[in-house]
């Protein structure tokens, strides 16, 4: 998910997306611990998406 897409979402949508993304990240981490993922770079991408969403939420709270 790109930063431009994140900026278009409302606060409620961002919070929902954050929880979904965190869940998918934890699921992928667990799957990777059991047997290696075919594309482990996915973990980095999802972790960065979580950070982008969390940053946007914090930014909106401070405004």
């Amino acid at each position: 998910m790109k930063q431009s897409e994140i900026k278009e979402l409302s606060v409620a949508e961002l919070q929902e997306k954050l929880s979904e993304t965190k869940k998918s990240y934890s699921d992928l981490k667990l799957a990777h611990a059991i047997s290696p993922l075919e594309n482990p770079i996915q973990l980095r991408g999802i972790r960065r998406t979580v950070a982008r969403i969390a940053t946007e939420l914090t930014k909106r709270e401070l405004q």
Side-chain angles (χ1 to χ4, degrees), residues 24-35 37 43:
S24 68
Y25 177 68
S26 64
D27 291 345
L28 266 181
K29 255 182 91 169
L30 181 64
H32 185 61
I34 294 171
S35 65
L37 292 175
L43 290 171

Side-chain angles (χ1 to χ4, degrees), residues 6-21 53 56-57 60-61:
I6 292 173
K7 286 183 179 182
E8 294 174 359
L9 299 175
S10 69
V11 174
E13 290 171 331
L14 282 174
Q15 289 172 340
E16 180 181 332
K17 195 68 136 165
L18 182 63
S19 64
E20 290 174 9
T21 311
I53 295 171
E56 184 64 27
L57 279 170
R60 289 185 187 188
E61 286 176 7

Side-chain angles (χ1 to χ4, degrees), residues 38-51:
E38 191 167 315
N39 185 7
I41 303 299
Q42 286 176 320
L43 290 171
R44 179 171 57 189
I46 293 177
R47 191 172 60 239
R48 289 181 178 176
T49 301
V50 167

